[in-house]
Amino acid sequence: MRVTVVGSGYVGTTLAACLADAGHDVTAIDIDPDVVAAINDGHAAIHEPGLDELLAEHAGDRLRATTEYGGVPDADVTFLAIGTPSNEDGSIDLGALTAAAEMTGEALAEAGAADGSASGAPDDRHLVVVKSTITPPGVRAVREALDEGAGDAADRVELATNPEFLREGTAVDDFQHPDKLVFGAESEWATARLEALYEPLVAATDGDVPVIRTDPETAVMIKYANNAFLASKISLANDLGNICKRFGIDAYEVMDAVGLDDRIGARFLRSGVGWGGSCFPKDVDAIRSAAREAGYEPAMLDAAVAVNDGQPERMLELLDSHADVAGERVAVLGLAFKPGTDDIRNSRAIPVIEGLQARGAEVVGYDPVATANMRERFPDAAYADSAAGALEGATAALVVTDWDEFAALDDAFDAMAAPVVIDGRRIVERRDGLTYEGLTW
Ligand SMILES: NC(=O)c1ccc[n+]([C@@H]2O[C@H](COP(=O)([O-])OP(=O)(O)OC[C@H]3O[C@@H](n4cnc5c(N)ncnc54)[C@H](O)[C@@H]3O)[C@@H](O)[C@H]2O)c1
Ligand SMILES: O=c1ccn([C@@H]2O[C@H](COP(=O)(O)OP(=O)(O)O[C@H]3O[C@H](CO)[C@@H](O)[C@H](O)[C@H]3O)[C@@H](O)[C@H]2O)c(=O)[nH]1
């Protein structure tokens, strides 16, 4: 099939590369010329394992990128994979997405006017699929923007939603091996088109991927429920972990046992400095805000956020109990919101660095791939080229991201001025000579 993917960020680039790899002919659109140039050069503007390899293989062949919307009408399906960030009040900002929807509609209208194909025949129909995470009321806003752009051609354009569940750091693998596919469509024609599009991917996984066929609003609610549940699961693990710490009990031993219950499951029970990233914080805020707008107070989700917001401060309080860091060098190990990515959006390292700077500490950050992004956020902090470099002469180290390489650190701690390690991710080994504090163990 011929596919257009509008928006070439973490989701759009992964989607475009994986659909090309599945045999489709893909055009990626982005307003950022650097992003477009990178894709056409066969590499991604972001760090995501496996993505560069796919782009190198398919760019210039089954995959191309452009800043122009002109080719949209030639596609069988157009995906919108545009960012949906938070407004100040936590509600979802649909501005960029509705702008892209309107531009997509305009491109379709121009083609309809040019070739006279606005006859209403079934083959003239164009499917626009929202990949972005949007609230149920947001579906109507996108539909209105699309219709506004399409004008007289609006009745030939159908909107569907197809939320994405990939995780950063494992985006390619997650996309190619999904736990489920969710198709939110208003007609059998649209559902069938989505099924045809995903058919090669499903076939490559032995065809055992559950497919949920539903309406567009239910589909996007499934996405919010999914993220709200996972974020709350971690917050509950953190709440219980904080209790464990008070009793001198290892929360990991407790939760490893709890996770053996099939009804609970072992994953997303790792307690520590909390959840960050571009999705959990903004999505939990967006659904809380939409709930309130609809007259419902989401007490559980409010509590999940409150627990999460408190974890970085708990880490800093543990540090305070061991060292006065005013004027001292303090290492922050890990700047990305999780391992495997250079994304620092809502990274727990941000409140940790802010807290250290408020205490007058001289912060030295280290991350294998996210340093450049954090330097833009905190240009006044220092950055080391290695974990060992960050630890050298430091009075304390705060571990914020569970990069594997931190587990292998050993002699590097000997170069610290005072070997105090506050571990927010249970990645560093306790060992002799180290004043080690786990956040919940
Ligand atoms: N990042 C994730 O892991 C993830 C996973 C699942 C769902 N989502 C959702 O997917 C959506 C996209 O997220 P992302 O992380 O890929 O965002 P992103 O910010 O990384 O990428 C968005 C891209 O859209 C481009 N863009 C903005 N306006 C445009 C326009 N009018 N036309 C063309 N391109 C335009 C930007 O230049 C940018 O490259 C969000 O709704 C997000 O919640 C993200
Ligand atoms: O047991 C755990 C698991 C995760 N985290 C933290 O939770 C955050 C999110 O991690 P993860 O879910 O792995 O990363 P994301 O890439 O943000 O993926 C989430 O958000 C995406 C965007 O909506 C969804 O598509 C994914 O399904 C969903 O897992 C990170 O800060 C992790 O450190 C923990 O603290 N403890």
Side-chain angles (χ1 to χ4, degrees):
M1 290 173 82
R2 288 161 305 173
V3 186
T4 304
V5 178
V6 183
S8 302
Y10 287 87
V11 170
T13 311
T14 306
L15 176 68
C18 290
L19 289 179
D21 197 52
H24 297 301
D25 185 78
V26 183
T27 302
I29 299 178
D30 203 284
I31 45 169
D32 185 335
D34 292 341
V35 167
V36 165
I39 294 174
N40 285 328
D41 276 356
H43 62 90
I46 49 159
H47 174 87
E48 196 59 57
L51 195 51
D52 279 350
E53 287 79 351
L54 289 183
L55 292 176
E57 188 178 343
H58 300 297
D61 181 16
R62 287 205 292 268
L63 172 65
R64 69 211 62 81
T66 172
T67 54
E68 304 295 328
Y69 278 67
V72 166
D74 300 330
D76 300 302
V77 180
T78 295
F79 278 96
L80 301 179
I82 304 287
T84 48
S86 300
N87 288 312
E88 285 277 302
D89 63 358
S91 63
I92 186 172
D93 177 357
L94 290 171
L97 178 60
T98 50
E102 195 170 335
M103 285 154 86
T104 301
E106 282 167 5
L108 290 166
E110 275 169 30
D115 65 18
S117 65
S119 61
D123 285 347
D124 288 342
R125 273 191 279 179
H126 191 94
L127 183 61
V128 176
V129 183
V130 179
K131 240 317 168 198
S132 305
T133 301
I134 56 170
T135 56
V139 175
R140 178 194 283 203
V142 178
R143 189 178 285 125
E144 283 172 0
L146 189 60
D147 288 352
E148 173 80 25
D152 291 346
D155 59 351
R156 294 190 297 116
V157 184
E158 186 163 335
L159 187 75
T161 61
N162 169 223
E164 181 52 55
F165 299 91
L166 64 78
R167 292 161 300 164
E168 287 182 27
T170 50
V172 170
D173 194 53
D174 286 349
F175 187 84
Q176 291 180 329
H177 303 96
D179 287 341
K180 58 182 173 255
L181 291 170
V182 180
F183 299 157
E186 281 170 342
S187 72
E188 284 179 16
W189 169 81
T191 305
R193 193 154 276 206
L194 281 166
E195 281 168 350
L197 183 85
Y198 277 98
E199 195 276 326
L201 262 151
V202 173
T205 58
D206 297 335
D208 59 358
V209 181
V211 178
I212 293 100
R213 298 168 184 83
T214 185
D215 60 87
E217 282 80 3
T218 305
V220 298
M221 190 63 208
I222 290 170
K223 171 68 189 174
Y224 278 104
N226 219 92
N227 271 1
F229 196 100
L230 290 170
S232 302
K233 191 177 182 190
I234 301 167
S235 277
L236 185 54
N238 279 332
D239 212 18
L240 294 166
N242 295 337
I243 298 172
C244 287
K245 183 76 181 174
R246 291 287 164 118
F247 295 150
I249 291 168
D250 180 346
Y252 275 68
E253 194 180 339
V254 172
M255 298 316 274
D256 281 352
V258 169
L260 292 174
D261 189 321
D262 270 354
R263 294 167 301 175
I264 295 172
R267 297 171 73 192
F268 279 63
L269 290 178
R270 290 180 64 83
S271 54
V273 69
W275 36 271
S278 67
C279 292
F280 283 175
K282 104 175 152 59
D283 292 350
V284 175
D285 281 352
I287 200 64
R288 286 163 72 216
S289 172
R292 255 184 211 110
E293 188 74 18
Y296 178 74
E297 286 297 319
M300 289 283 286
L301 297 182
D302 288 351
V305 171
V307 170
N308 197 54
D309 286 350
Q311 292 308 94
E313 190 53 35
R314 281 176 193 286
M315 207 171 167
L316 291 160
E317 282 167 9
L318 267 179
L319 173 67
D320 291 339
S321 69
H322 289 283
D324 177 359
V325 294
E328 302 291 333
R329 178 179 166 101
V330 176
V332 175
L333 298 187
L335 304 171
F337 82 94
K338 62 180 257 188
T341 179
D342 62 349
D343 196 342
I344 60 153
R345 289 179 282 183
N346 274 304
S347 167
R348 301 293 81 193
I350 294 171
V352 166
I353 293 173
E354 283 170 348
L356 288 171
Q357 290 185 333
R359 285 162 173 76
E362 182 200 320
V363 175
V364 187
Y366 166 72
D367 191 284
V369 294
T371 300
N373 286 336
M374 197 57 96
R375 200 192 295 275
E376 279 183 30
R377 176 71 178 72
F378 291 105
D380 49 342
Y383 298 90
D385 291 337
S386 64
L391 290 172
E392 205 172 327
T395 295
L398 274 62
V399 186
V400 181
T401 315
D402 37 347
W403 286 103
D404 282 344
E405 65 173 272
F406 299 152
L409 286 173
D410 192 1
D411 294 350
F413 292 115
D414 298 339
M416 293 178 74
V420 176
V421 174
I422 314 291
D423 192 348
R425 296 289 183 193
R426 200 188 179 91
I427 186 76
V428 171
E429 285 285 318
R430 255 181 226 277
R431 67 184 189 92
D432 288 344
L434 212 60
T435 304
Y436 177 93
E437 283 275 11
L439 202 49
T440 59
W441 56 96

